Amino acid sequence: MTTAPSAPRAPRTSIALPGPRAPMTPRAPASSTVSAAPATPATPAASARGVPLGRSDVEAAAARIAGHVRRTPLLAGLPGPELRRTGRGLLLKAEHLQYGGSFKLRGAANAVLALGARRIVTGSSGNHGIALARLAAPLGAEVTVVLAGGAHPAKIAVIKALGGRTVRVPGGVAERDARARELAEETGAVLIPSSDHELVVAGQGTVGLEILAEAPDTETVYVPTGGGGLLAGVCLAAYGHPVRVVGVEPAGTPRYARSLAAGHPVRLAPGDTVADGLRGQQPGAVPYPIVRDRVDDLVTVSDAQILDAAALLRRRGFEAEPSGAVALAGAIRAGRTTGCSVAVVSGGNTKAALMAAAAAATPSRTHCTT
């Protein structure tokens, strides 16, 4: 593929994580739309390392996880009318074909392997928990996954089938993550959050490395955005490259659009969306400054647009869950572009896929539910 040269971006190879810094100038992404859900300021936690996280961390993650993840393909899968609507070329990064059914395996593997964790606690909507449980068995590790009330029952079943322990809590993602932190402190287990962790962000960034290695003339990458780990990781991978990085959020949970408009992280009230993996209430302390300083735009998409995108993918033979179709919905909403774009199909854990995974899994230990 050849495209007209993009406007050069000043090369940046790293970004400082949260800590003392000059006041930020509020800015609102041009294409974002936000609803009137109440929002309150959220105070970011200090970085565990206190040093910049950069592209080199993503490259190190790629080397570390190479034997544990699948290098997923870039596929052309849109029929004629939709292709014409989105421009000269829209490719799909097929993370629905990843082991465990989603990109989450990348960040989970990077954290588990780097930390050598043998007792792990996490808060998850499902896919991150599945990834950790899948990794744990061959490593002899124990995993406890805390899930909020709206977690998909089929995802819970897969976590159990893989030998994970599940804990259900009332409330939303904020309550879920608070309980995971408490359990880690109480038990001495290692907390590996679904997105708000340097190693997790670096692991997710390998998606971006693969896209830019295979299609270096890509002009825009559309990234589904929940807690922000994948978006921040792709931003890190894109430092020094002129590619535009666009985060796509469900309209009911626009935590990054709200936060960037306010100039600081904000916490939203629990929201509802068909994209169950993207219900996070606030940006993570690690992803937020990375996204703030590198993302080019944020767009929001309605549940109807998400379901339309998922149906389009199914018609083309791609089994994507609603969360996995969000980036494509954003690309379609953005309209026609002149160059090559990539939408990340982040997960394929549909009900049918999850039922098959649960049936195929062989528990390596007793699990329990509280």
Side-chain angles (χ1 to χ4, degrees), residues 152-204:
H152 198 302
K155 292 184 177 180
I156 298 173
V158 174
I159 293 169
K160 292 179 179 179
L162 289 168
R165 175 175 181 259
T166 62
V167 176
R168 303 287 299 277
V169 297
V173 172
E175 289 76 16
R176 177 200 78 189
D177 290 346
R179 181 58 184 144
R181 287 192 296 271
E182 291 173 356
L183 277 177
E185 292 172 0
E186 292 168 3
T187 63
V190 174
L191 178 68
I192 301 181
S194 60
S195 60
D196 196 15
H197 192 286
E198 293 131 321
L199 289 165
V200 172
V201 168
Q204 315 304 30

mmCIF file of all heavy atoms in Angstrom, residues 152-204:
data_model
loop_
_atom_site.group_PDB
_atom_site.id
_atom_site.type_symbol
_atom_site.label_atom_id
_atom_site.label_comp_id
_atom_site.label_asym_id
_atom_site.label_seq_id
_atom_site.Cartn_x
_atom_site.Cartn_y
_atom_site.Cartn_z
ATOM 1 N N HIS A 152 -20.698 -11.185 32.239
ATOM 2 C CA HIS A 152 -21.353 -12.175 31.385
ATOM 3 C C HIS A 152 -21.221 -13.561 32.021
ATOM 4 O O HIS A 152 -20.112 -14.034 32.278
ATOM 5 C CB HIS A 152 -20.691 -12.170 30.011
ATOM 6 C CG HIS A 152 -21.512 -12.811 28.938
ATOM 7 N ND1 HIS A 152 -21.949 -14.113 28.999
ATOM 8 C CD2 HIS A 152 -22.001 -12.309 27.762
ATOM 9 C CE1 HIS A 152 -22.653 -14.399 27.926
ATOM 10 N NE2 HIS A 152 -22.688 -13.322 27.154
ATOM 11 N N PRO A 153 -22.341 -14.266 32.265
ATOM 12 C CA PRO A 153 -22.266 -15.588 32.899
ATOM 13 C C PRO A 153 -21.384 -16.573 32.142
ATOM 14 O O PRO A 153 -20.704 -17.402 32.756
ATOM 15 C CB PRO A 153 -23.736 -16.046 32.915
ATOM 16 C CG PRO A 153 -24.533 -14.782 32.884
ATOM 17 C CD PRO A 153 -23.737 -13.826 32.037
ATOM 18 N N ALA A 154 -21.381 -16.495 30.808
ATOM 19 C CA ALA A 154 -20.578 -17.438 30.038
ATOM 20 C C ALA A 154 -19.087 -17.191 30.233
ATOM 21 O O ALA A 154 -18.284 -18.133 30.199
ATOM 22 C CB ALA A 154 -20.941 -17.348 28.555
ATOM 23 N N LYS A 155 -18.688 -15.939 30.443
ATOM 24 C CA LYS A 155 -17.281 -15.648 30.708
ATOM 25 C C LYS A 155 -16.884 -16.163 32.087
ATOM 26 O O LYS A 155 -15.782 -16.680 32.275
ATOM 27 C CB LYS A 155 -17.015 -14.149 30.575
ATOM 28 C CG LYS A 155 -17.138 -13.644 29.147
ATOM 29 C CD LYS A 155 -16.784 -12.166 29.009
ATOM 30 C CE LYS A 155 -16.860 -11.743 27.545
ATOM 31 N NZ LYS A 155 -16.520 -10.324 27.331
ATOM 32 N N ILE A 156 -17.788 -16.026 33.047
ATOM 33 C CA ILE A 156 -17.531 -16.566 34.383
ATOM 34 C C ILE A 156 -17.345 -18.081 34.306
ATOM 35 O O ILE A 156 -16.449 -18.654 34.946
ATOM 36 C CB ILE A 156 -18.684 -16.206 35.334
ATOM 37 C CG1 ILE A 156 -18.797 -14.683 35.474
ATOM 38 C CG2 ILE A 156 -18.485 -16.852 36.702
ATOM 39 C CD1 ILE A 156 -20.019 -14.234 36.260
ATOM 40 N N ALA A 157 -18.166 -18.738 33.492
ATOM 41 C CA ALA A 157 -18.076 -20.190 33.356
ATOM 42 C C ALA A 157 -16.721 -20.611 32.790
ATOM 43 O O ALA A 157 -16.145 -21.623 33.217
ATOM 44 C CB ALA A 157 -19.212 -20.691 32.460
ATOM 45 N N VAL A 158 -16.192 -19.849 31.843
ATOM 46 C CA VAL A 158 -14.893 -20.195 31.269
ATOM 47 C C VAL A 158 -13.786 -20.021 32.306
ATOM 48 O O VAL A 158 -12.886 -20.861 32.412
ATOM 49 C CB VAL A 158 -14.600 -19.337 30.019
ATOM 50 C CG1 VAL A 158 -13.180 -19.589 29.514
ATOM 51 C CG2 VAL A 158 -15.601 -19.644 28.916
ATOM 52 N N ILE A 159 -13.842 -18.937 33.071
ATOM 53 C CA ILE A 159 -12.828 -18.727 34.115
ATOM 54 C C ILE A 159 -12.818 -19.905 35.079
ATOM 55 O O ILE A 159 -11.753 -20.431 35.441
ATOM 56 C CB ILE A 159 -13.103 -17.413 34.867
ATOM 57 C CG1 ILE A 159 -12.892 -16.216 33.933
ATOM 58 C CG2 ILE A 159 -12.191 -17.282 36.094
ATOM 59 C CD1 ILE A 159 -13.395 -14.900 34.501
ATOM 60 N N LYS A 160 -13.994 -20.346 35.503
ATOM 61 C CA LYS A 160 -14.084 -21.490 36.413
ATOM 62 C C LYS A 160 -13.550 -22.760 35.761
ATOM 63 O O LYS A 160 -12.820 -23.544 36.379
ATOM 64 C CB LYS A 160 -15.531 -21.703 36.835
ATOM 65 C CG LYS A 160 -16.108 -20.615 37.730
ATOM 66 C CD LYS A 160 -17.548 -20.955 38.045
ATOM 67 C CE LYS A 160 -18.187 -19.923 38.957
ATOM 68 N NZ LYS A 160 -19.607 -20.254 39.244
ATOM 69 N N ALA A 161 -13.933 -22.982 34.491
ATOM 70 C CA ALA A 161 -13.499 -24.192 33.799
ATOM 71 C C ALA A 161 -11.979 -24.241 33.657
ATOM 72 O O ALA A 161 -11.389 -25.327 33.636
ATOM 73 C CB ALA A 161 -14.163 -24.268 32.430
ATOM 74 N N LEU A 162 -11.357 -23.083 33.579
ATOM 75 C CA LEU A 162 -9.894 -23.020 33.476
ATOM 76 C C LEU A 162 -9.200 -23.121 34.828
ATOM 77 O O LEU A 162 -7.974 -23.111 34.909
ATOM 78 C CB LEU A 162 -9.488 -21.710 32.793
ATOM 79 C CG LEU A 162 -9.815 -21.618 31.296
ATOM 80 C CD1 LEU A 162 -9.652 -20.183 30.803
ATOM 81 C CD2 LEU A 162 -8.941 -22.566 30.488
ATOM 82 N N GLY A 163 -9.996 -23.223 35.904
ATOM 83 C CA GLY A 163 -9.423 -23.404 37.234
ATOM 84 C C GLY A 163 -9.347 -22.151 38.062
ATOM 85 O O GLY A 163 -8.785 -22.170 39.162
ATOM 86 N N GLY A 164 -9.897 -21.055 37.576
ATOM 87 C CA GLY A 164 -9.875 -19.818 38.333
ATOM 88 C C GLY A 164 -10.945 -19.767 39.402
ATOM 89 O O GLY A 164 -11.995 -20.417 39.295
ATOM 90 N N ARG A 165 -10.687 -18.978 40.436
ATOM 91 C CA ARG A 165 -11.668 -18.734 41.493
ATOM 92 C C ARG A 165 -12.354 -17.410 41.174
ATOM 93 O O ARG A 165 -11.704 -16.442 40.778
ATOM 94 C CB ARG A 165 -10.976 -18.654 42.849
ATOM 95 C CG ARG A 165 -11.888 -18.285 44.021
ATOM 96 C CD ARG A 165 -11.113 -18.358 45.330
ATOM 97 N NE ARG A 165 -11.968 -18.034 46.470
ATOM 98 C CZ ARG A 165 -11.987 -16.868 47.082
ATOM 99 N NH1 ARG A 165 -11.185 -15.883 46.674
ATOM 100 N NH2 ARG A 165 -12.774 -16.659 48.108
ATOM 101 N N THR A 166 -13.656 -17.337 41.327
ATOM 102 C CA THR A 166 -14.389 -16.115 41.019
ATOM 103 C C THR A 166 -15.063 -15.560 42.266
ATOM 104 O O THR A 166 -15.533 -16.312 43.119
ATOM 105 C CB THR A 166 -15.447 -16.345 39.932
ATOM 106 O OG1 THR A 166 -16.415 -17.291 40.386
ATOM 107 C CG2 THR A 166 -14.813 -16.840 38.646
ATOM 108 N N VAL A 167 -15.082 -14.240 42.348
ATOM 109 C CA VAL A 167 -15.734 -13.529 43.439
ATOM 110 C C VAL A 167 -16.644 -12.489 42.818
ATOM 111 O O VAL A 167 -16.187 -11.656 42.021
ATOM 112 C CB VAL A 167 -14.712 -12.840 44.372
ATOM 113 C CG1 VAL A 167 -15.416 -12.027 45.443
ATOM 114 C CG2 VAL A 167 -13.789 -13.881 45.003
ATOM 115 N N ARG A 168 -17.926 -12.519 43.148
ATOM 116 C CA ARG A 168 -18.886 -11.556 42.608
ATOM 117 C C ARG A 168 -19.128 -10.454 43.634
ATOM 118 O O ARG A 168 -19.243 -10.709 44.834
ATOM 119 C CB ARG A 168 -20.216 -12.242 42.289
ATOM 120 C CG ARG A 168 -20.111 -13.402 41.324
ATOM 121 C CD ARG A 168 -19.856 -12.962 39.900
ATOM 122 N NE ARG A 168 -20.920 -12.131 39.385
ATOM 123 C CZ ARG A 168 -22.062 -12.606 38.865
ATOM 124 N NH1 ARG A 168 -22.273 -13.920 38.834
ATOM 125 N NH2 ARG A 168 -22.971 -11.793 38.388
ATOM 126 N N VAL A 169 -19.225 -9.213 43.145
ATOM 127 C CA VAL A 169 -19.519 -8.084 44.026
ATOM 128 C C VAL A 169 -20.624 -7.245 43.402
ATOM 129 O O VAL A 169 -20.734 -7.157 42.179
ATOM 130 C CB VAL A 169 -18.270 -7.202 44.267
ATOM 131 C CG1 VAL A 169 -17.187 -7.975 44.977
ATOM 132 C CG2 VAL A 169 -17.740 -6.633 42.958
ATOM 133 N N PRO A 170 -21.466 -6.614 44.231
ATOM 134 C CA PRO A 170 -22.465 -5.696 43.694
ATOM 135 C C PRO A 170 -21.803 -4.403 43.232
ATOM 136 O O PRO A 170 -20.663 -4.110 43.598
ATOM 137 C CB PRO A 170 -23.393 -5.447 44.890
ATOM 138 C CG PRO A 170 -22.518 -5.667 46.083
ATOM 139 C CD PRO A 170 -21.547 -6.744 45.700
ATOM 140 N N GLY A 171 -22.529 -3.643 42.424
ATOM 141 C CA GLY A 171 -22.000 -2.360 41.968
ATOM 142 C C GLY A 171 -21.350 -2.474 40.604
ATOM 143 O O GLY A 171 -21.579 -3.428 39.843
ATOM 144 N N GLY A 172 -20.514 -1.492 40.295
ATOM 145 C CA GLY A 172 -19.884 -1.430 38.984
ATOM 146 C C GLY A 172 -18.415 -1.754 39.016
ATOM 147 O O GLY A 172 -17.904 -2.399 39.945
ATOM 148 N N VAL A 173 -17.717 -1.266 38.001
ATOM 149 C CA VAL A 173 -16.293 -1.553 37.849
ATOM 150 C C VAL A 173 -15.475 -0.971 38.997
ATOM 151 O O VAL A 173 -14.513 -1.590 39.462
ATOM 152 C CB VAL A 173 -15.796 -1.006 36.490
ATOM 153 C CG1 VAL A 173 -14.285 -1.113 36.378
ATOM 154 C CG2 VAL A 173 -16.463 -1.765 35.349
ATOM 155 N N ALA A 174 -15.847 0.213 39.486
ATOM 156 C CA ALA A 174 -15.097 0.831 40.587
ATOM 157 C C ALA A 174 -15.146 -0.047 41.832
ATOM 158 O O ALA A 174 -14.128 -0.261 42.506
ATOM 159 C CB ALA A 174 -15.645 2.222 40.887
ATOM 160 N N GLU A 175 -16.328 -0.569 42.154
ATOM 161 C CA GLU A 175 -16.467 -1.444 43.321
ATOM 162 C C GLU A 175 -15.724 -2.759 43.115
ATOM 163 O O GLU A 175 -15.107 -3.299 44.041
ATOM 164 C CB GLU A 175 -17.950 -1.712 43.594
ATOM 165 C CG GLU A 175 -18.722 -0.511 44.127
ATOM 166 C CD GLU A 175 -19.060 0.518 43.061
ATOM 167 O OE1 GLU A 175 -18.967 0.186 41.842
ATOM 168 O OE2 GLU A 175 -19.422 1.656 43.422
ATOM 169 N N ARG A 176 -15.784 -3.258 41.901
ATOM 170 C CA ARG A 176 -15.062 -4.496 41.567
ATOM 171 C C ARG A 176 -13.560 -4.328 41.785
ATOM 172 O O ARG A 176 -12.910 -5.166 42.425
ATOM 173 C CB ARG A 176 -15.333 -4.832 40.103
ATOM 174 C CG ARG A 176 -14.603 -6.036 39.569
ATOM 175 C CD ARG A 176 -14.543 -5.978 38.051
ATOM 176 N NE ARG A 176 -13.518 -5.046 37.572
ATOM 177 C CZ ARG A 176 -13.386 -4.691 36.301
ATOM 178 N NH1 ARG A 176 -14.229 -5.155 35.388
ATOM 179 N NH2 ARG A 176 -12.409 -3.869 35.946
ATOM 180 N N ASP A 177 -13.005 -3.250 41.264
ATOM 181 C CA ASP A 177 -11.562 -3.041 41.378
ATOM 182 C C ASP A 177 -11.134 -2.760 42.812
ATOM 183 O O ASP A 177 -10.048 -3.165 43.239
ATOM 184 C CB ASP A 177 -11.134 -1.903 40.456
ATOM 185 C CG ASP A 177 -11.224 -2.283 38.983
ATOM 186 O OD1 ASP A 177 -11.352 -3.494 38.695
ATOM 187 O OD2 ASP A 177 -11.174 -1.381 38.124
ATOM 188 N N ALA A 178 -12.008 -2.075 43.571
ATOM 189 C CA ALA A 178 -11.691 -1.827 44.978
ATOM 190 C C ALA A 178 -11.626 -3.140 45.749
ATOM 191 O O ALA A 178 -10.726 -3.340 46.583
ATOM 192 C CB ALA A 178 -12.734 -0.896 45.588
ATOM 193 N N ARG A 179 -12.545 -4.050 45.458
ATOM 194 C CA ARG A 179 -12.533 -5.345 46.150
ATOM 195 C C ARG A 179 -11.309 -6.164 45.752
ATOM 196 O O ARG A 179 -10.718 -6.857 46.595
ATOM 197 C CB ARG A 179 -13.814 -6.127 45.834
ATOM 198 C CG ARG A 179 -13.904 -7.483 46.540
ATOM 199 C CD ARG A 179 -13.823 -7.332 48.045
ATOM 200 N NE ARG A 179 -13.816 -8.622 48.740
ATOM 201 C CZ ARG A 179 -13.125 -8.872 49.831
ATOM 202 N NH1 ARG A 179 -12.348 -7.918 50.372
ATOM 203 N NH2 ARG A 179 -13.181 -10.060 50.412
ATOM 204 N N ALA A 180 -10.902 -6.082 44.497
ATOM 205 C CA ALA A 180 -9.699 -6.802 44.059
ATOM 206 C C ALA A 180 -8.470 -6.294 44.806
ATOM 207 O O ALA A 180 -7.628 -7.087 45.241
ATOM 208 C CB ALA A 180 -9.521 -6.652 42.552
ATOM 209 N N ARG A 181 -8.375 -4.981 44.992
ATOM 210 C CA ARG A 181 -7.242 -4.429 45.742
ATOM 211 C C ARG A 181 -7.260 -4.917 47.189
ATOM 212 O O ARG A 181 -6.210 -5.269 47.750
ATOM 213 C CB ARG A 181 -7.283 -2.899 45.703
ATOM 214 C CG ARG A 181 -6.899 -2.293 44.350
ATOM 215 C CD ARG A 181 -6.685 -0.799 44.452
ATOM 216 N NE ARG A 181 -7.907 -0.093 44.805
ATOM 217 C CZ ARG A 181 -8.788 0.367 43.918
ATOM 218 N NH1 ARG A 181 -8.590 0.166 42.622
ATOM 219 N NH2 ARG A 181 -9.870 1.015 44.307
ATOM 220 N N GLU A 182 -8.430 -4.946 47.789
ATOM 221 C CA GLU A 182 -8.550 -5.430 49.168
ATOM 222 C C GLU A 182 -8.114 -6.889 49.278
ATOM 223 O O GLU A 182 -7.376 -7.255 50.213
ATOM 224 C CB GLU A 182 -9.994 -5.288 49.641
ATOM 225 C CG GLU A 182 -10.463 -3.851 49.844
ATOM 226 C CD GLU A 182 -11.943 -3.779 50.140
ATOM 227 O OE1 GLU A 182 -12.615 -4.852 50.118
ATOM 228 O OE2 GLU A 182 -12.457 -2.661 50.381
ATOM 229 N N LEU A 183 -8.566 -7.715 48.346
ATOM 230 C CA LEU A 183 -8.211 -9.137 48.399
ATOM 231 C C LEU A 183 -6.711 -9.338 48.238
ATOM 232 O O LEU A 183 -6.119 -10.192 48.901
ATOM 233 C CB LEU A 183 -8.960 -9.904 47.298
ATOM 234 C CG LEU A 183 -10.393 -10.331 47.604
ATOM 235 C CD1 LEU A 183 -11.005 -11.010 46.379
ATOM 236 C CD2 LEU A 183 -10.435 -11.273 48.797
ATOM 237 N N ALA A 184 -6.104 -8.572 47.357
ATOM 238 C CA ALA A 184 -4.657 -8.698 47.171
ATOM 239 C C ALA A 184 -3.920 -8.342 48.457
ATOM 240 O O ALA A 184 -2.968 -9.020 48.860
ATOM 241 C CB ALA A 184 -4.202 -7.809 46.016
ATOM 242 N N GLU A 185 -4.367 -7.270 49.128
ATOM 243 C CA GLU A 185 -3.735 -6.862 50.385
ATOM 244 C C GLU A 185 -3.960 -7.892 51.480
ATOM 245 O O GLU A 185 -3.058 -8.198 52.264
ATOM 246 C CB GLU A 185 -4.279 -5.500 50.809
ATOM 247 C CG GLU A 185 -3.857 -4.359 49.882
ATOM 248 C CD GLU A 185 -4.563 -3.061 50.217
ATOM 249 O OE1 GLU A 185 -5.375 -3.067 51.175
ATOM 250 O OE2 GLU A 185 -4.322 -2.047 49.528
ATOM 251 N N GLU A 186 -5.162 -8.443 51.536
ATOM 252 C CA GLU A 186 -5.505 -9.408 52.583
ATOM 253 C C GLU A 186 -4.745 -10.724 52.429
ATOM 254 O O GLU A 186 -4.380 -11.370 53.413
ATOM 255 C CB GLU A 186 -7.008 -9.680 52.565
ATOM 256 C CG GLU A 186 -7.868 -8.495 52.983
ATOM 257 C CD GLU A 186 -9.336 -8.720 52.680
ATOM 258 O OE1 GLU A 186 -9.677 -9.830 52.192
ATOM 259 O OE2 GLU A 186 -10.146 -7.797 52.915
ATOM 260 N N THR A 187 -4.530 -11.147 51.176
ATOM 261 C CA THR A 187 -3.964 -12.473 50.926
ATOM 262 C C THR A 187 -2.486 -12.453 50.553
ATOM 263 O O THR A 187 -1.845 -13.512 50.504
ATOM 264 C CB THR A 187 -4.738 -13.167 49.785
ATOM 265 O OG1 THR A 187 -4.575 -12.399 48.577
ATOM 266 C CG2 THR A 187 -6.225 -13.266 50.126
ATOM 267 N N GLY A 188 -1.948 -11.275 50.262
ATOM 268 C CA GLY A 188 -0.564 -11.190 49.823
ATOM 269 C C GLY A 188 -0.369 -11.574 48.365
ATOM 270 O O GLY A 188 0.768 -11.742 47.908
ATOM 271 N N ALA A 189 -1.474 -11.698 47.623
ATOM 272 C CA ALA A 189 -1.382 -12.035 46.203
ATOM 273 C C ALA A 189 -0.938 -10.816 45.396
ATOM 274 O O ALA A 189 -1.015 -9.674 45.853
ATOM 275 C CB ALA A 189 -2.735 -12.536 45.695
ATOM 276 N N VAL A 190 -0.470 -11.057 44.197
ATOM 277 C CA VAL A 190 -0.076 -9.985 43.288
ATOM 278 C C VAL A 190 -1.313 -9.476 42.556
ATOM 279 O O VAL A 190 -2.061 -10.266 41.963
ATOM 280 C CB VAL A 190 0.974 -10.474 42.277
ATOM 281 C CG1 VAL A 190 1.283 -9.390 41.244
ATOM 282 C CG2 VAL A 190 2.247 -10.896 43.000
ATOM 283 N N LEU A 191 -1.540 -8.179 42.595
ATOM 284 C CA LEU A 191 -2.661 -7.573 41.879
ATOM 285 C C LEU A 191 -2.230 -7.264 40.447
ATOM 286 O O LEU A 191 -1.268 -6.527 40.231
ATOM 287 C CB LEU A 191 -3.116 -6.297 42.580
ATOM 288 C CG LEU A 191 -4.260 -5.526 41.905
ATOM 289 C CD1 LEU A 191 -5.560 -6.330 41.972
ATOM 290 C CD2 LEU A 191 -4.450 -4.160 42.570
ATOM 291 N N ILE A 192 -2.938 -7.828 39.486
ATOM 292 C CA ILE A 192 -2.680 -7.533 38.072
ATOM 293 C C ILE A 192 -3.969 -6.987 37.484
ATOM 294 O O ILE A 192 -4.838 -7.754 37.041
ATOM 295 C CB ILE A 192 -2.202 -8.777 37.301
ATOM 296 C CG1 ILE A 192 -0.906 -9.320 37.921
ATOM 297 C CG2 ILE A 192 -1.975 -8.434 35.823
ATOM 298 C CD1 ILE A 192 -0.344 -10.538 37.217
ATOM 299 N N PRO A 193 -4.145 -5.671 37.478
ATOM 300 C CA PRO A 193 -5.381 -5.074 36.956
ATOM 301 C C PRO A 193 -5.556 -5.346 35.471
ATOM 302 O O PRO A 193 -4.597 -5.689 34.760
ATOM 303 C CB PRO A 193 -5.181 -3.574 37.222
ATOM 304 C CG PRO A 193 -4.085 -3.488 38.230
ATOM 305 C CD PRO A 193 -3.203 -4.667 37.965
ATOM 306 N N SER A 194 -6.772 -5.145 34.997
ATOM 307 C CA SER A 194 -7.070 -5.433 33.590
ATOM 308 C C SER A 194 -6.467 -4.412 32.640
ATOM 309 O O SER A 194 -6.264 -4.711 31.460
ATOM 310 C CB SER A 194 -8.585 -5.502 33.381
ATOM 311 O OG SER A 194 -9.193 -4.274 33.730
ATOM 312 N N SER A 195 -6.179 -3.199 33.132
ATOM 313 C CA SER A 195 -5.580 -2.192 32.243
ATOM 314 C C SER A 195 -4.626 -1.246 32.964
ATOM 315 O O SER A 195 -3.667 -0.763 32.355
ATOM 316 C CB SER A 195 -6.670 -1.370 31.544
ATOM 317 O OG SER A 195 -7.488 -0.698 32.489
ATOM 318 N N ASP A 196 -4.841 -0.975 34.233
ATOM 319 C CA ASP A 196 -4.093 0.065 34.934
ATOM 320 C C ASP A 196 -2.804 -0.466 35.554
ATOM 321 O O ASP A 196 -2.632 -0.485 36.773
ATOM 322 C CB ASP A 196 -4.991 0.701 36.007
ATOM 323 C CG ASP A 196 -4.437 2.031 36.502
ATOM 324 O OD1 ASP A 196 -3.540 2.578 35.835
ATOM 325 O OD2 ASP A 196 -4.916 2.524 37.538
ATOM 326 N N HIS A 197 -1.901 -0.910 34.693
ATOM 327 C CA HIS A 197 -0.635 -1.474 35.141
ATOM 328 C C HIS A 197 0.368 -1.315 34.005
ATOM 329 O O HIS A 197 0.045 -1.568 32.839
ATOM 330 C CB HIS A 197 -0.807 -2.953 35.507
ATOM 331 C CG HIS A 197 0.338 -3.557 36.246
ATOM 332 N ND1 HIS A 197 1.539 -3.863 35.635
ATOM 333 C CD2 HIS A 197 0.474 -3.927 37.551
ATOM 334 C CE1 HIS A 197 2.360 -4.409 36.525
ATOM 335 N NE2 HIS A 197 1.740 -4.449 37.689
ATOM 336 N N GLU A 198 1.601 -0.907 34.337
ATOM 337 C CA GLU A 198 2.586 -0.639 33.297
ATOM 338 C C GLU A 198 2.868 -1.853 32.420
ATOM 339 O O GLU A 198 2.977 -1.751 31.193
ATOM 340 C CB GLU A 198 3.892 -0.145 33.934
ATOM 341 C CG GLU A 198 3.775 1.225 34.590
ATOM 342 C CD GLU A 198 4.344 1.240 35.993
ATOM 343 O OE1 GLU A 198 4.143 0.233 36.718
ATOM 344 O OE2 GLU A 198 4.977 2.226 36.368
ATOM 345 N N LEU A 199 3.008 -3.026 33.028
ATOM 346 C CA LEU A 199 3.301 -4.227 32.264
ATOM 347 C C LEU A 199 2.126 -4.637 31.388
ATOM 348 O O LEU A 199 2.311 -5.148 30.278
ATOM 349 C CB LEU A 199 3.687 -5.367 33.205
ATOM 350 C CG LEU A 199 5.051 -5.214 33.886
ATOM 351 C CD1 LEU A 199 5.184 -6.190 35.051
ATOM 352 C CD2 LEU A 199 6.192 -5.414 32.886
ATOM 353 N N VAL A 200 0.922 -4.426 31.882
ATOM 354 C CA VAL A 200 -0.271 -4.733 31.093
ATOM 355 C C VAL A 200 -0.358 -3.801 29.886
ATOM 356 O O VAL A 200 -0.589 -4.238 28.755
ATOM 357 C CB VAL A 200 -1.540 -4.638 31.961
ATOM 358 C CG1 VAL A 200 -2.804 -4.772 31.105
ATOM 359 C CG2 VAL A 200 -1.521 -5.716 33.054
ATOM 360 N N VAL A 201 -0.159 -2.503 30.112
ATOM 361 C CA VAL A 201 -0.196 -1.538 29.016
ATOM 362 C C VAL A 201 0.868 -1.886 27.963
ATOM 363 O O VAL A 201 0.590 -1.882 26.757
ATOM 364 C CB VAL A 201 0.008 -0.104 29.543
ATOM 365 C CG1 VAL A 201 0.260 0.872 28.398
ATOM 366 C CG2 VAL A 201 -1.205 0.340 30.351
ATOM 367 N N ALA A 202 2.084 -2.175 28.413
ATOM 368 C CA ALA A 202 3.147 -2.510 27.470
ATOM 369 C C ALA A 202 2.797 -3.755 26.663
ATOM 370 O O ALA A 202 3.044 -3.815 25.444
ATOM 371 C CB ALA A 202 4.463 -2.711 28.218
ATOM 372 N N GLY A 203 2.219 -4.755 27.318
ATOM 373 C CA GLY A 203 1.811 -5.961 26.602
ATOM 374 C C GLY A 203 0.741 -5.686 25.565
ATOM 375 O O GLY A 203 0.809 -6.180 24.427
ATOM 376 N N GLN A 204 -0.257 -4.889 25.927
ATOM 377 C CA GLN A 204 -1.319 -4.560 24.967
ATOM 378 C C GLN A 204 -0.751 -3.777 23.782
ATOM 379 O O GLN A 204 -1.269 -3.857 22.667
ATOM 380 C CB GLN A 204 -2.436 -3.741 25.632
ATOM 381 C CG GLN A 204 -2.925 -4.198 26.974
ATOM 382 C CD GLN A 204 -3.440 -5.622 27.077
ATOM 383 O OE1 GLN A 204 -2.981 -6.497 26.349
ATOM 384 N NE2 GLN A 204 -4.358 -5.859 27.996
#
